[in-house]
Amino acid sequence: MVREELYITVPNLFRCPISMDVMRSPVSLCTGVTYDRSSIQHWLDSGHDTCPATMQTLPSKDFVPNLTLRRLINLWAQSHGPPSPSSSSSSLTVSEQQLKYVIDELKGKNEGENSKLIGNLSSIADFAGFSDENRRSLADFDGFVSAIVGVLSRGGAKMEILELVIRILDSILLDDRGREQAHVLISKRIQAFLTSIRLVLRNASLKAKIESARVLRSIANDEQSKRAISDNRDLVLELLNLLTSESDYDQALHDAVYSCLIAISATRSKKAQLVGLGIVNLLARTLSDRNTNKSVAENAMKLLSIVSTCAEGRSAISEDRRCAAAAVERLMKVSTVATEDAVAVLWSVCCLLGEKKTKESVVRSNGVARILLVMQSGYCEGHPVRRMCGDLLRVLKIGCSSDGFGLGSYQSKTTHILPC
């Protein structure tokens, strides 16, 4: 009963606008809006260039710690107790003895034998998620990151241990020093590490699956690890299965998976592989769903634009009529980057592939008007997006006018902004 009262009385000022949880490390963007560091870092790392609360385009992606708000939250937490059942006031402090005990147990491979280890790992996970300073102290503690990565690189741990270790690693990867250490250690035994991650993606809780996808996204910044992830067909299939699972349907999970797939789709062969595994169908479903939130839609559009750069991707997009219509629908309704990705998709299938029915689908979806709006929305002469819009207008007019479609049949009061 007391805990429920605490949930209700948490001041809105203390909640992150993205996660809606009490902020552990509040930071402010140049727009003046404050977010929890891990949430906004994930938003920006996913390719967004806007403030999530205001949708203003960010002239700078830098953020600064909001020390005043953090002090207020800490004072509130001390006087009111923990905001959720998963954390306690004691979880905000971890002793040197606890860390040494955990390191010894993990390195001694006794992780499945006692509940004391699980309790300590849970406390450390809460501690790591609380602030940047906590993550830095764990990264600096001799042998800790090595012990955590070792559990995943060695295999054989129980799922409860794996979930806690993934949770800790997900937090540590937000720290520059911790991320550098972890990447080096993971790369040395990358295949064994990926085997453990795949096990978590298949059998763990929803929260652990989200954290695992974020871990994969982080380590994909290392070229060797990126290749290992993209070459691991079973792991990629596991990620795609998460996008089709009804029991695991969750927008945060889809957001994390799409971010990971974007990170590993660097080469033509990897794009073609994703197309062959059915990614276009999944993206079409996501983008056609009006309930898809903006972050997921933007990541889905980014991935669709990536696969549209290969012939297999363009062919699959043209065959799925939902894709072109969804790209048109999202124009000017998402961030600048996502709008540009949608233009790139339409340009790829209409101008490069030139498939007639796709062009007709674009016109029927009011694509001409939307492309005109994008073209006139501030892009200077010669800008790639402006050039692509001009190309689209030409092919839509030429390619479809004989059948009653295209610019020739388009009637609108916006005709005064037609290109010369």
Side-chain angles (χ1 to χ4, degrees), residues 101-403:
Y101 170 81
V102 165
I103 292 171
D104 290 342
E105 288 294 299
L106 294 182
K107 288 188 173 180
K109 305 181 183 180
N110 297 320
E111 60 266 20
E113 297 178 5
N114 61 75
S115 59
K116 181 180 178 182
L117 175 61
I118 293 173
N120 279 312
L121 281 172
S122 182
S123 295
I124 293 171
D126 288 337
F127 177 82
F130 189 77
S131 70
D132 297 333
E133 290 81 2
N134 290 359
R135 288 186 278 274
R136 174 57 56 83
S137 66
L138 290 175
D140 288 341
F141 196 88
D142 186 38
F144 182 74
V145 176
S146 176
I148 291 297
V149 172
V151 175
L152 294 162
S153 300
R154 184 172 62 246
K158 291 184 176 179
M159 186 56 64
E160 190 171 8
I161 296 291
L162 289 177
E163 290 196 20
L164 288 168
V165 167
I166 285 290
R167 183 179 162 199
I168 293 169
L169 182 59
D170 182 41
S171 293
I172 288 176
L173 288 171
L174 294 173
D175 176 75
D176 291 340
R177 229 175 297 178
R179 183 166 57 251
E180 184 178 350
Q181 287 185 62
H183 283 187
V184 171
L185 292 165
I186 291 168
S187 65
K188 292 178 179 178
R189 298 194 63 187
I190 184 64
Q191 294 304 330
F193 180 89
L194 295 180
T195 297
S196 293
I197 293 291
R198 183 183 165 209
L199 186 64
V200 174
L201 290 173
R202 177 182 295 177
N203 299 316
S205 65
L206 176 61
K207 179 176 173 58
K209 291 176 181 179
I210 294 171
E211 291 162 346
S212 294
R214 290 204 299 251
V215 166
L216 287 175
R217 168 65 184 85
S218 176
I219 67 173
N221 287 326
D222 174 76
E223 286 302 319
Q224 179 184 343
S225 296
K226 178 189 293 187
R227 286 194 299 272
I229 295 169
S230 59
D231 288 343
N232 192 321
R233 181 183 172 87
D234 289 338
L235 180 62
V236 174
L237 281 171
E238 208 65 62
L239 288 167
L240 294 178
N241 286 339
L242 294 176
L243 298 174
T244 61
S245 171
E246 295 296 331
S247 60
D248 276 331
Y249 178 76
D250 180 86
Q251 302 235 26
L253 177 63
H254 284 211
D255 200 31
V257 171
Y258 280 139
S259 292
C260 179
L261 294 175
I262 289 168
I264 65 174
S265 304
T267 65
R268 186 200 172 285
S269 62
K270 301 311 173 189
K271 298 169 193 174
Q273 178 192 44
L274 283 177
V275 173
L277 293 175
I279 190 62
V280 170
N281 177 270
L282 296 175
L283 291 169
R285 188 177 70 172
T286 296
L287 291 168
S288 301
D289 187 351
R290 294 184 179 276
N291 294 320
T292 299
N293 68 37
K294 190 164 292 188
S295 176
V296 177
E298 290 180 352
N299 272 331
M301 189 62 72
K302 170 64 71 178
L303 188 54
L304 190 65
S305 73
I306 290 172
V307 299
S308 75
T309 61
C310 70
E312 294 88 346
R314 290 190 290 274
S315 179
I317 291 170
S318 69
E319 290 172 5
D320 194 320
R321 302 299 176 210
R322 296 172 297 174
C323 287
V328 170
E329 177 64 25
R330 298 286 174 175
L331 286 173
M332 304 296 289
K333 290 187 177 181
V334 283
S335 69
T336 301
V337 171
T339 292
E340 293 173 359
D341 289 332
V343 170
V345 170
L346 294 173
W347 183 85
S348 293
V349 293
C350 292
C351 297
L352 290 184
L353 187 64
E355 206 273 332
K356 181 179 178 181
K357 289 186 178 180
T358 303
K359 290 186 282 188
E360 291 177 354
S361 176
V362 171
V363 175
R364 285 196 183 97
S365 303
N366 201 27
V368 173
R370 290 180 184 272
I371 292 167
L372 284 168
L373 289 174
V374 173
M375 191 175 188
Q376 300 297 322
S377 62
Y379 293 103
C380 62
E381 195 68 39
H383 191 283
V385 171
R386 187 177 175 88
R387 290 202 304 270
M388 284 191 286
C389 286
D391 291 344
L392 279 166
L393 292 176
R394 282 190 288 274
V395 300
L396 292 176
K397 178 180 180 180
I398 295 170
C400 304
S401 57
S402 62
D403 293 319

